[in-house]
Amino acid sequence: MFPTAGSIRPGALAALLEERGFESLFFPDHTHIPAHTPEVFDVAGLPDEFRNGMDCFVALAAAAQTTEALQLGTAVALVTEREPLVTAKAVATLDVLSEGRMNFGVGPGWIFQELRHHGVDPRDRWAVMRERVLAMREVWTEDVASYHGKFVDFEAVTSWPKPVRHPHPPILVAGNGPRVAERVVAYGDEWIPMLRPGVLEEIDRFRRTVRRPGSDEPIPVTLFGGRLEDVDEYARAGVDRCLFWPRPMDAAAARRLIDHTALALGDRLAS
């Protein structure tokens, strides 16, 4: 859910979810939305929360303080629009505040004018994402970190705190398409595809065929934007985590929705 100024507070939402037995809470990310764009992804029809959603990292910090076991994450952080040294510190800080519960979902962005406002050529977005994620991994795992690439370049950086989870919080790589498996294996830990026609077949094939070098273990999959009535079908396809995506709502409406969803899921929450 996008947390907004008029919706249930992030900490209250997180506490409700933990009380009802849910596994995780993820927040989306947009630093801003262009007032208009003439390109393929038109912003005119976007729901208001894309424009007025809170910062995902600040909201997750609030959620961390009201929970003890709930997994927290971004779905997804647009790392092409976030400076990597600043973002690395934010993610590590969240992992410390939550005592190792941070999950870092990353994506390249899809509104081209939004990317340009951050100085990123949309044609370079996948390459920029790769370098920034790899650079952040160096910051998290090395006392003195360096990274030299086309889009990210720094030498002898020190940055604390280090993440609680070793070697770093799981990196969930977003995307649907022919090269997503390559990207997940290259710089991610899990895959986070969006629900769309044919995605369950893609997930089934990914789970059966994609492995890390030297490992026989399937790579975890989080499905973004799933439907409550189809969770059993998702499980059969190999989905490990299903993220529902409701619109922002006040505290009373959120409680009703969460209670309804928990009742419908029943024993699946415990599993």
Side-chain angles (χ1 to χ4, degrees), residues 10-223:
L13 175 62
L16 273 175
L17 291 168
E18 183 164 273
E19 288 170 6
R20 301 303 188 271
F22 286 87
E23 184 261 356
S24 57
L25 170 62
F26 283 65
F27 287 138
D29 178 36
H30 279 281
T31 60
H32 71 289
I33 296 295
H36 57 80
T37 173
E39 294 175 290
V40 60
F41 300 117
D42 195 310
V43 300
L46 285 177
D48 288 343
E49 58 263 30
F50 279 78
R51 295 176 175 82
N52 58 29
M54 294 179 176
D55 179 88
C56 59
F57 294 128
V58 177
L60 286 170
Q65 297 306 291
T66 61
T67 55
E68 296 181 353
L70 192 75
Q71 292 291 308
L72 305 171
T74 51
V76 294
L78 304 182
V79 292
T80 49
E81 301 177 8
R82 292 182 173 273
E83 197 278 331
L85 293 175
V86 173
T87 307
K89 183 176 283 286
V91 172
T93 299
L94 274 168
D95 202 52
V96 171
L97 291 175
S98 66
E99 299 183 329
R101 293 182 281 136
M102 178 60 185
N103 298 267
F104 191 34
V106 300
W110 53 275
I111 301 174
F112 288 176
Q113 189 64 19
E114 183 182 4
L115 288 160
R116 290 196 184 95
H117 288 166
H118 287 278
V120 175
D121 187 324
R123 294 171 296 183
D124 296 329
R125 64 193 187 280
W126 289 105
V128 172
M129 182 169 88
R130 177 183 182 277
E131 288 196 9
R132 290 187 178 178
V133 171
L134 289 173
M136 285 186 277
R137 285 172 48 174
E138 291 297 309
V139 171
W140 293 326
T141 58
E142 300 294 334
D143 287 349
V144 180
S146 300
Y147 187 87
H148 302 292
K150 180 179 179 181
F151 303 102
V152 181
D153 189 18
F154 57 78
E155 178 72 29
V157 165
T158 63
S159 179
W160 276 267
K162 299 298 184 186
V164 171
R165 203 177 315 195
H166 294 288
H168 50 70
I171 298 167
L172 288 67
V173 178
N176 299 68
R179 298 192 61 187
V180 68
E182 172 189 333
R183 294 177 180 124
V184 173
V185 172
Y187 54 87
D189 300 293
E190 304 181 19
W191 181 29
I192 181 169
M194 181 172 285
L195 183 66
R196 69 173 190 180
V199 72
L200 295 188
E201 290 79 6
E202 295 174 26
I203 291 170
D204 177 68
R205 184 166 56 252
F206 179 90
R207 293 276 297 183
R208 287 186 291 102
T209 63
V210 179
R211 298 289 186 273
R212 302 190 184 287
S215 174
D216 292 328
E217 293 297 318
I219 296 173
V221 176
T222 293
L223 180 63

